[in-house]
Amino acid sequence: MADPADADALRQSYQAVPYPSLPVRASHPSLLAANAILHGLLPAPVTSCRVLELGCATGGNLIPMAAGLPGARFVGVDLSPRQIDEARELAGAVGAGNLTWLACDLLDLDDHDLGQFDYIICHGIYSWVPPPVQQAILALCQRHLAPHGIAYISYNTYPGFHARQPVRDMMLFHTRGLPPAEAAPAARRLLEVLRASVGDPDATWARVLRDEADKIAGTPDAYLVHEHLEPENRPCYFHEFMAAASAHGLGFLCEAERLATFADLPDSFQALAPGRSQIDQEQYFDFLCNRALRASLLCRSDAGVGERVAEPDPRALFALCAAFPLDDPSGEVVRYRSHSGEFTLEDAAMRALLGHLYQRYPQASPVAELPALAAGAVSRAWSAGLCDLHAHAPPVVGVVSVRPTASPVARVLATRQATLPNQWHQPHELDAFTRELVTRLDGRKNLGPRTPQVKAALQHLAANGFLCA
Ligand SMILES: C[S@@+](CC[C@H](N)C(=O)[O-])C[C@H]1O[C@@H](n2cnc3c(N)ncnc32)[C@H](O)[C@@H]1O
């Protein structure tokens, strides 16, 4: 049984300090559908799918998705009525009518006739709620996932989170009894004083303090309060998470963000766990990279596809399109920064692919239309986290037209916050001048004289995927 006092305390905390929710790129149905297709599932078309977000806060993830997919249906649930009111107001302001909002505890969701969903998103919640709510999240996924649906659940993991725990404990000790709005500045002060006062700067402890203080320094107070200072925080090992998921009839599909796979690791490492299950292999991989966070994609164990394959079906690639948001791959030997770190690249097929995608960005390239050399490298580039594969491409344009257009969501949000979603559901911070320009990009207004500053801002918006057809 969950303690009603816990839910009340959490509700009050988000009522006092709402969470500034932003787009979570990897949770977009287009990427979830691509993962499903690559692993042999037959997901609903992205343009007409049904999406449920558990703990949607102020709707920063759901609203841009819904506005970009008007034929799909979205339901957002959150404990905090204040946040749901803000979400409802923003959805109205951007004219997105395909959203339903529920201000209620996840534990009470069964009182509502929800039906089935093709995608269920639960980001930034699982580790911050008590065990009965964790169980409820998994049970809701089991009950409400369509036969080939996908659940996206993110959570903090060991061993990586062990290093973060002591700093959190100290901040909690220091801020105990303070109201949420006062806790964040007090916690920052504590970290700064500790960091400045610690003796040997090369000692492990000094490095831990520095790392954590650096991570926290650039984050908003609301993030610090809810990510670090909530009393509930329960990281777990991946294998423990999967044991709980499996008890609810859910199986592992893959991670939402690709890192290298177990098969990419040195032979000596693979020899540690010969013939182990995919779950065990993923766990060993976490040991190696000291992973502190996962966003796992789950499907129903009875989806009829048996044990998940570690690698995607190459034939399925041809139904998808690829997009490449990273650096220019020209030059002799290229250094790439992927999700799994930085490395050099001399492979001609990979370079042909990344060069092509770079030229095309912000538009995507259907894999079926890629030059032959490049098409052969798609699977490897995707596996290494070097390009995204999407089941649906947004109507993004990379050139500035006579009457440039930004999405209604970006136009409304530009009057309210610095970080806006682009057409690829990526959060991107814009300066005040560019944001003011975005508010006028309705495709009808004459923008007046194109001064060098206006031209540069428009180019920046075009290059970063903000302009649409
Ligand atoms: C850290 S925020 C994450 C918000 C959002 N998913 C994001 O990533 O931007 C956690 C959210 O979960 C909600 N939440 C926590 N426990 C809940 C429960 N039992 N039922 C419904 N919502 C809950 C909170 O109100 C809060 O908005």
Side-chain angles (χ1 to χ4, degrees), residues 10-23:
L10 202 61
R11 188 183 295 109
Q12 291 312 327
S13 164
Y14 283 95
Q15 290 287 96
V17 182
Y19 192 81
S21 72
L22 291 171

Side-chain angles (χ1 to χ4, degrees), residues 82 121 161 170 178 196 234 249 263 286 304 357-358 364 376 391 423 447-448:
R82 173 177 172 183
I121 301 164
F161 214 86
M170 292 185 311
L178 288 181
R234 297 171 187 271
D286 284 8
L357 297 182
Y358 183 79
Q423 290 285 304
L447 297 179

